RNA sequence: GCCGCCGUAGCUCAGGGGUAGAGCGCAUCCUUGGUAAGGCUGAGGUCCGGAGUUCAAAUCUCCGCGGCGGCACCA
């Protein structure tokens, strides 16, 4: 008997898998396919234990599905473009490419050491011209199809770094890197027309049954579809107030969007966004309006400032006519709470039915007329306080044709009448905007467009792709190195041959991750991004695993991309959905330490002196910080290689899946890891403790007479059933707990020879145990399999099946309750009748005792569960 | 502010109308040739609070409280 040494065993089995090409995908073309994918990593440097959780979960699924006979595709690659490489280049004078590929080499080795069942032949890096060349081809397909366009847009511009920033990179109005206040700039930018699919992206969510509800909801809210109406309000006095030009450009009315056309008779004003074209037009003639616009712009951009800003507005002097009563005139305001980017940038205010409108109306003394009567209210008595009523009800105080209708019917009725009179129509708007993909950065995929003075933007001919990034760039001055490059952008127009310039913007890295899962299906294809038939066989991804932080952007972009690719004829994917199953895993957290002066410290920098925590070098007092997700900045990462050297890859895999449900965070603790180590040793000892000359695995187990042997067989087959069920449902922590149970049962079945029956049962149970742990701790499983004398690799063994005859219990322990309180229990046959159970229960000595002096009222018998006696 | 998730042993969490559970930790004892240990036994619970439904509620319903997350003037 020996101890298990992972540092010997693990590399040995990894070499065995590699030499047998165990993880190659596509080797079972006749079997159903199964595509497992973890969100591919950004090659930032090193992997820590926190990262490994994501890959381990995917790996469990991959190995489990493989054991079930599927042709499994489980690839890995690198989301390799992005700003950190440029920062490293600037700070350390290294080329971004070298920095990136060095990191990839380190991280690849780490993932391999973790024993992941990955098909490395399909490895891709998005910064490889062999990858981005296809991305450029896709870009041009989208361009042809009208899914890509250029427009002037207001963007967040960092005046120090000379680049645009995404919204999430602006923190409190300042650039996240430079700290400089971000300015809004109008720039010519490239966009993907994601809004074209806004409806489909919303509707598609309904069918994603294997996605977390939470993520579907977040996407739904993000897209933010609202149905309502556009209503046009004709000017009552416009001509003399407006300079000229507006009418030609915008017509003789103001168009608003509303979700509540039913409240049209409660309207008391119109409000325009401060930057609505009409507001701007009027500001040219009226300094007061101009001043108001400036005031709104000054009012910070942080969300908190916006939220707390009181409602303000200015009367523009315009009057418009109510659509259903030409004699009813409404004032038009510009108001700070109206957004130019949503709907039409204009609203009609119906104060009784909208809190913002009510606040505004109260401030400027505008009429407040309730038009929706909540159920159970008396119309004569109904008054509104400081709160608007936004719920359903019956319309009143309105036109006779509308009064009495419920809100939903009223909405339809008003829309019908608007459409008839041509003053409006039903409309849907979205919160979602088009996807801005231009980035003024170097380390990204070049946009394959040439800007020609006479031809405009011209696509680079496909045969000239890729448009490659130059290597000789400098990061000495701020701004886009591509733009600064002395020669790179100079070219000729593919259309007219005149001198022209390349587009120097590169694509948002989210573009790279919007189709990488398709490239994995046909990663070696040099002619096209992927072969349609090949990709269509593997798609959709059956199980996608990643962090919730990508719940919106990445997943939405990818869903858009597959729709676009489908509509360009590149893939047969009718639903357009790339990911049939999605799992969002929680993080690994670890304790943190913080010095009094606010610095984060690593655990090894802290020591205890006189019962207090201090920094070892300085003696400065240290406080235990909160549990935080492992991150370099908090100095609480546990390096994966270090961990593996101490405990092995299996221990890391087992640990990150224990304890917490996969979707929740798990806390890294040293004691937990030691528990895992002991478990591994105990399990090995249990298997290794089988006597020499025991039967081989899968030996038929004949009819057994030994009661202990039968019990053990039952425990084993029950474990198969439960653990299979837990894996199917992504309850890995429950599977782990169940393995613990089963391991205890197996261990306690005895290490001495016992009866031949018991020995046979132990071998069977050990075999099952090894099969069950194989997806989780594959190296230990192989070592045990080999020790048991199994043929070949456990990796190639089929998943065990539970014998149904061993799952049924013939007797069951049933509690007996008296007035809902447990008084006794009895061991009865599972199929005992109700009458018999009642008789047995009333016959129970302690029940008899308890019943003395009481009158029996009722006996409730739930066969197999409980008997409850009611008496008083 | 709106929406969602969570609250069970010291910690991390299973369970989900009918006996309150696991791992780790803790305590007692045994072993010290399975030894960076191993084993036996055990203590530990207001299942967040309140009300309701029920023969029976940790579980279902409603109302609170606390924690976390998403969105945030979206008309």
């Amino acid at each position: 008997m020996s101890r298990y040494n992972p540092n010997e065993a693990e590399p040995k089995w990894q070499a065995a898998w590699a030499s047998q090409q165990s993880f190659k995908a596509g080797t079972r073309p006749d079997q159903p396919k199964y595509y497992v994918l973890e969100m591919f990593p950004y090659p930032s440097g090193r992997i820590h234990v926190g990262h490994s959780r994501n890959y381990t979960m995917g790996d469990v699924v991959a190995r489990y599905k493989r054991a079930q006979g599927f042709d499994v595709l489980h690839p890995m690659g690198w989301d390799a473009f992005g700003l950190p490489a440029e920062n490293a280049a600037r700070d350390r004078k290294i080329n971004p490419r070298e920095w990136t590929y060095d990191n990839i080499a380190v991280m690849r080795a780490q993932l391999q050491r973790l024993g992941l069942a990955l098909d490395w032949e399909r490895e891709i890096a998005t910064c490889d011209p062999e990858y981005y060349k296809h991305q450029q081809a896709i870009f041009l397909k989208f361009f042809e199809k009208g899914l890509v366009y250029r427009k002037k847009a207001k963007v967040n511009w960092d005046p120090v770094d000379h680049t645009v920033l995404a919204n999430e990179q602006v923190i409190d109005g300042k650039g996240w890197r430079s700290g400089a206040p971000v300015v809004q700039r109008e720039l010519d930018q490239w966009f993907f027309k994601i809004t074209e699919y806004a409806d489909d992206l919303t509707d598609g969510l309904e069918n994603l049954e294997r996605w977390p509800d939470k993520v579907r909801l977040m996407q739904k809210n993000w897209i933010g579809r609202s149905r309502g109406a556009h209503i046009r309000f004709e000017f009552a006095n416009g001509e003399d107030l407006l300079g000229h030009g507006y009418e030609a450009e915008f017509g003789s009315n103001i168009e608003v969007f509303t979700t509540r056309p039913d409240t049209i008779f409660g309207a008391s004003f119109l409000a325009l966004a401060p930057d609505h074209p009409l507001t701007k037009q009027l500001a040219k003639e009226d300094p007061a309006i101009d001043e108001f616009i400036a005031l709104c712009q000054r009012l910070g951009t942080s969300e908190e400032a916006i939220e707390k800003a009181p409602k303000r507005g200015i009367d523009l002097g315009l009057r418009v006519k109510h659509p259903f009563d030409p004699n009813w005139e409404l004032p038009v305001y510009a108001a700070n709470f109206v957004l130019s980017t949503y709907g039409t940038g204009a609203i009609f205010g119906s104060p009784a039915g909208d809190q913002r409108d009510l606040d505004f109306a109260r401030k400027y003394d505008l009429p407040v007329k309730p038009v929706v009567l909540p159920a159970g209210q008396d119309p004569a008595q109904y008054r509104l306080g400081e709160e608007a009523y936004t719920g359903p009800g019956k319309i009143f105080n309105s036109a006779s044709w509308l009064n009495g209708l419920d809100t939903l019917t009223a909405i339809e009725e008003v829309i019908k009448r608007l459409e008839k009179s041509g003053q409006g129509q039903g409309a849907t708007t979205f919160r979602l905007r088009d996807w801005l993909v231009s980035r003024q950065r170097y380390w990204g995929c070049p946009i394959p467009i040439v800007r020609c003075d006479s031809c405009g933007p011209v696509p680079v001919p496909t045969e000239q792709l890729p448009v490659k990034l130059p290597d000789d760039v400098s990061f000495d001055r701020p701004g886009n190195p591509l733009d600064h490059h002395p020669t790179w952008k100079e070219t000729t127009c593919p259309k007219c041959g005149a001198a022209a310039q390349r587009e120097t913007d590169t694509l948002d890295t989210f573009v790279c991750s919007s189709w990488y899962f398709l490239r994995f299906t046909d990663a070696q294809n040099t002619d096209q991004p992927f072969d349609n038939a090949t990709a269509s066989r593997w798609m959709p991804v059956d199980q996608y695993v990643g962090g919730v932080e990508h719940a919106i952007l990445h997943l939405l972009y990818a869903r858009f991309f597959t729709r676009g690719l489908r509509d360009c004829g590149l893939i047969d994917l009718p639903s357009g959905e790339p990911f049939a199953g999605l799992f969002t895993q929680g993080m690994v957290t670890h304790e943190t330490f913080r010095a009094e002066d606010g610095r984060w410290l690593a655990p090894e920098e802290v020591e205890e002196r006189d019962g207090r925590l201090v920094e070892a070098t300085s003696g400065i007092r240290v406080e235990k910080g909160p549990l935080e997700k492992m991150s370099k900045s908090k100095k609480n990462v546990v390096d994966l290689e270090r961990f593996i050297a101490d405990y092995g890859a299996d221990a890391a895999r087992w640990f990150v899946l224990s304890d917490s449900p996969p979707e929740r965070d798990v806390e890294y603790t040293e004691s937990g890891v030691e528990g895992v180590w002991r478990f591994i040793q105990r399990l090995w000892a249990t298997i290794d403790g089988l006597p020499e000359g025991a039967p081989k695995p899968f030996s038929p187990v004949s009819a057994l007479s030994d009661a202990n042997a039968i019990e053990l067989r039952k425990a084993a087959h029950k474990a198969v059933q439960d653990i299979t069920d837990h894996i199917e449902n992504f309850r890995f922590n429950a599977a782990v707990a169940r393995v613990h149970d089963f391991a205890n049962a197996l261990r306690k079945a005895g290490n001495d020879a016992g009866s031949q029956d018991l020995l046979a049962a132990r071998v069977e149970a050990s075999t099952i145990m090894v099969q069950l742990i194989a997806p989780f701790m594959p190296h230990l499983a192989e070592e045990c399999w080999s020790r048991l004398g199994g043929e070949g690799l456990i990796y190639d063994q089929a998943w065990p099946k539970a014998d149904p005859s061993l799952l049924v219990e013939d007797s069951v322990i049933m509690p007996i309750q008296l007035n809902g309180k447990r008084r006794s229990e009895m061991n009865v046959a599972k199929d005992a009748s109700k009458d018999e159970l009642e008789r047995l229960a009333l016959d129970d000595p302690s029940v008899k005792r308890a019943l003395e002096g009481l009158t029996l009222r009722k006996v409730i018998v739930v066969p197999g569960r409980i008997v409850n006696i009611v008496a008083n």
Side-chain angles (χ1 to χ4, degrees), chain A residues 649-665:
Chain A
D650 284 338
R653 299 169 59 112
W654 191 248
F655 176 82
V656 295
L657 298 182
S658 312
D659 286 359
S660 284
E663 68 275 17
R664 242 182 277 175
D665 290 351

Side-chain angles (χ1 to χ4, degrees), chain A residues 5 53 144 206 215 400 458 495 543 553 587 640 664 726 728 731 737 816 845 861:
Chain A
N5 181 352
R53 197 171 188 220
E144 256 171 55
E206 298 294 323
V215 174
S400 56
V458 180
K495 222 183 209 170
Q543 186 62 62
L553 295 183
M587 304 294 155
L640 185 63
R664 242 182 277 175
H726 287 323
E728 285 285 349
R731 291 190 297 251
I816 305 167
V861 179

Side-chain angles (χ1 to χ4, degrees), chain A residues 90 106 157-158 178 219 345 380 420 538 582 613 779 810 814:
Chain A
R90 186 176 341 206
V106 171
W157 176 260
D158 185 319
S178 68
Q219 291 224 348
K420 211 168 173 185
W538 288 110
L582 171 71
L613 294 175
H779 312 86
D810 32 11
M814 271 177 59

Side-chain angles (χ1 to χ4, degrees), chain A residues 123-243:
Chain A
E123 179 184 1
I124 55 178
T126 57
C127 64
D128 184 345
E130 280 305 302
Y131 182 83
Y132 68 69
K133 134 179 139 185
H134 300 297
Q135 185 162 315
Q136 291 172 340
I138 292 171
F139 180 93
L140 294 177
K141 281 269 186 197
F142 278 20
F143 186 68
E144 256 171 55
K145 187 88 185 162
L147 290 173
V148 176
Y149 68 99
R150 229 154 75 99
K151 74 167 179 195
K152 263 203 181 357
K154 249 195 213 164
V155 293
N156 304 307
W157 176 260
D158 185 319
V160 172
D161 281 354
H162 290 258
T163 184
V164 296
L165 296 175
N167 284 336
E168 60 274 14
Q169 291 163 348
V170 180
I171 299 153
D172 271 338
K174 291 173 183 149
W176 69 285
R177 229 185 91 82
S178 68
V182 166
V183 289
Q184 300 282 307
R185 259 210 186 178
E186 290 250 319
L187 282 178
D188 241 346
Q189 301 280 294
W190 289 96
F191 288 84
F192 281 161
K193 218 179 208 167
I194 191 170
T195 53
E196 178 129 337
Y197 291 95
D199 257 319
D200 194 35
L201 287 167
T202 304
D203 295 338
L205 293 169
E206 298 294 323
N207 303 321
L208 294 174
E209 281 148 24
R210 291 172 47 233
W211 278 42
D213 290 343
K214 182 183 162 174
V215 174
R216 291 197 283 180
L217 192 64
M218 281 165 70
Q219 291 224 348
K220 196 176 165 200
N221 291 339
W222 184 266
I223 300 168
R225 176 164 69 190
S226 7
R227 297 193 194 285
H230 281 153
I231 304 177
R232 286 179 287 279
F233 288 80
E234 296 295 324
F235 290 126
N237 69 338
E239 305 77 12
D240 46 326
L241 270 163
L242 289 170

Side-chain angles (χ1 to χ4, degrees), chain A residues 606-620:
Chain A
V606 178
E607 62 180 42
E608 205 178 316
R609 281 182 208 158
D610 311 322
R612 292 175 155 192
L613 294 175
V614 296
E615 185 180 16
T617 50
S618 66
I620 292 177

